Amino acid sequence: MRDMSLCGERAWILPTTLLGITLILGTIRLLSLDGTGVSRLYSDIRLSHGLRQHAMREILSRGGPKPGCEQRAITFEETTIPYEVCGERRVPLMVSPSSGELPLGRIDYDAIFSQAIPCPSTPTKTKNPHGEKLTASKDCPLPPLLEGGIITLENLLGETTRVLARESHASVIASPGGITVTGALTLESDLILIAGGDIDIGAIATSSRQTRKVTLISALGAIRVGSISTGISVVAGGRSTIEVPETPQSPPFPLPPQREYDIVGIRAVVE
């Protein structure tokens, strides 16, 4: 009886062992196939990325994209591939006075606000952060004296401010929100003043004997200046209301950093 029991146990051990080995081999095979699939997928992704980068370089080497969308043929390793390329729209700013010269392309806001500094005093929460006007979430009081200007990420609010020259080039005052000076902005240097929202200035004045050139730019807001003293030449550019007293024009005016028009979309056309 014992011998028969041992024989029965041995009879079950062999099929069970073979089944286990089969399962292990099958799992190894599946893992191998999965690994091959992942490797191929990764290779396809790298190839697609390489094609896109090659297409971008070739388009930019030909003078950059045109506004809107167009089809271009890109050659890669002796194969010509049609691509639909979409470039940034080129909508010029309205300029005041109409005879003013403001040769602007795309303003490089990244370059401007990468130089932003913390508010030199304690910022406060803006009173109307969700109104119709474009504003930052906080207000920064403008100091009464600015050496070379100021660039912050808050709205700039002040009563009277004097801008001193720090270097030979123009001073810069910039905010992604609004800039408000209820009294006089007195200049001892040329000035570039840039806001994402509204620009409201009571007066722009100077005590300098040299003509001061001022460039006012609002990306999306209105520009309003109450009065401008003699000895100042102003040009303004924006996309909304511009109410600035006309002054004698003395180009060239100081300009903010600019960048090339970029590609906003690119895709291979499957025919």
Side-chain angles (χ1 to χ4, degrees), residues 168-218:
S168 58
H169 53 73
S171 299
V172 178
I173 297 177
S175 163
I179 299 176
T180 301
V181 180
T182 57
L185 182 65
T186 303
L187 306 179
E188 296 185 10
S189 70
D190 294 344
L191 176 68
I192 302 171
L193 193 147
I194 301 173
D198 288 357
I199 296 173
D200 286 291
I201 301 174
I204 301 178
T206 185
S207 56
S208 173
R209 295 180 180 179
Q210 181 181 351
T211 298
R212 295 304 176 189
K213 302 178 183 182
V214 179
T215 303
L216 305 176
I217 297 173
S218 172

Side-chain angles (χ1 to χ4, degrees), residues 21-164:
I21 292 172
T22 302
L23 290 174
I24 291 170
L25 291 174
T27 302
I28 293 172
R29 174 62 176 167
L30 287 174
L31 290 173
S32 175
L33 290 173
D34 285 347
T36 302
V38 170
S39 177
R40 287 176 179 172
L41 178 61
Y42 179 68
S43 177
D44 290 344
I45 291 173
R46 289 186 62 185
L47 177 60
S48 175
H49 180 72
L51 283 169
R52 182 182 177 84
Q53 294 302 310
H54 174 79
M56 295 275 282
R57 286 193 299 270
E58 189 162 333
I59 292 165
L60 294 174
S61 69
R62 297 180 188 176
K66 295 180 180 179
C69 298
E70 64 172 348
Q71 195 169 115
R72 291 197 186 184
I74 307 298
T75 302
F76 182 76
E77 294 183 353
E78 300 182 356
T79 301
T80 299
I81 305 171
Y83 276 89
E84 184 179 46
V85 181
C86 298
E88 288 183 289
R89 295 175 60 201
R90 304 187 183 188
V91 183
L93 297 172
M94 295 186 299
V95 177
S96 179
S98 57
S99 60
E101 296 181 16
L102 194 58
L104 279 176
R106 293 290 291 181
I107 298 174
D108 194 341
Y109 291 105
D110 286 342
I112 295 168
F113 290 106
S114 66
Q115 302 180 49
I117 64 170
C119 178
S121 55
T122 303
T124 58
K125 189 174 180 180
T126 189
K127 295 179 181 178
N128 189 20
H130 304 297
E132 295 180 358
K133 296 181 179 181
L134 177 64
T135 60
S137 60
K138 293 184 177 181
D139 296 337
C140 176
L142 266 171
L145 197 64
L146 290 173
E147 188 176 351
I150 184 172
I151 302 174
T152 70
L153 300 180
E154 297 88 14
N155 305 304
L156 290 170
L157 307 177
E159 295 182 1
T160 59
T161 300
R162 179 179 292 274
V163 182
L164 304 178

